[in-house]
Amino acid sequence: MRQMLMIALMLMIAAVGSGCSAAADINEPISLGQLYPGEIERVDRMEMTNGSTGEKHTYEAAEQVQSWLKSIQNIELTVSIDQSKKDRFLYSVSLFEGDKKTMSFTPNFINGKYYETDDKVVEVVEVLFEM
C-alpha cells in the first residue's frame, strides 16, 4: 500500500512539473531566425503581400534579401495568449530557397502560432515594401 501511495505521489509531482514547464515555454521569447526551418542564410528570394491592398512585391537580389533578414531575424517574439483565428493581416512574407517556399509568416503569425504584434517587425516589413 505504501509503495502504491509513493508511486501515485511521484506521478502527481511529475504531472505538475511537466505542466509548469509547458507554461513557461509559451512565455519564452523566440526569434524569427530560431523559427526558420533550416539555414536562413540560404534564403534567396522573398515575396511580400500587403494585406490591405493585395499588392505583391518580389525581392530576388540576394544581398537585399539577406540584409533584410539580418535586420529582422533576431527580433524577439512572444507567443500571444489569444490563439483564436484572425482573418486579416497587415503583410504576408514568404521566404524561398530556389523555387521551394520554406516559410511564410505575417508580423503576428508564424508556423501555426500567433505572436504579440511587434512594432519593430511591422516597421521593417513596411520599410522594405515601400522601397
Side-chain angles (χ1 to χ4, degrees):
M1 180 70 165
R2 186 173 178 183
Q3 284 180 321
M4 294 294 277
L5 190 56
M6 288 296 284
I7 292 172
L9 183 59
M10 289 170 51
L11 288 173
M12 285 182 3
I13 290 171
V16 169
S18 68
C20 290
S21 66
D25 289 345
I26 199 166
N27 294 322
E28 293 289 322
I30 192 162
S31 69
L32 177 67
Q34 291 171 301
L35 291 168
Y36 187 76
E39 297 176 37
I40 203 163
E41 298 82 19
R42 301 183 87 188
V43 173
D44 56 8
R45 181 168 58 104
M46 296 186 309
E47 293 178 359
M48 289 187 180
T49 304
N50 181 315
S52 299
T53 66
E55 182 181 1
K56 290 185 178 190
H57 291 187
T58 299
Y59 306 90
E60 297 181 299
E63 188 174 301
Q64 181 184 30
V65 169
Q66 282 302 310
S67 175
W68 186 81
L69 287 171
K70 284 181 182 158
S71 75
I72 196 171
Q73 72 183 11
N74 293 318
I75 295 174
E76 291 189 334
L77 306 167
T78 304
V79 174
S80 176
I81 293 171
D82 179 9
Q83 289 291 311
S84 60
K85 187 176 184 317
K86 312 322 185 251
D87 289 330
R88 299 181 182 186
F89 62 91
L90 294 171
Y91 294 93
S92 172
V93 179
S94 295
L95 305 178
F96 294 82
E97 292 180 21
D99 291 333
K100 181 182 176 195
K101 185 190 298 187
T102 54
M103 180 182 209
S104 290
F105 63 93
T106 70
N108 69 336
F109 187 74
I110 304 171
N111 293 344
K113 287 186 184 174
Y114 286 97
Y115 291 83
E116 297 297 327
T117 301
D118 187 314
D119 292 336
K120 290 182 275 187
V121 175
V122 174
E123 183 181 328
V124 295
V125 170
E126 285 177 339
V127 166
L128 182 60
F129 195 82
E130 297 304 321
M131 294 178 100

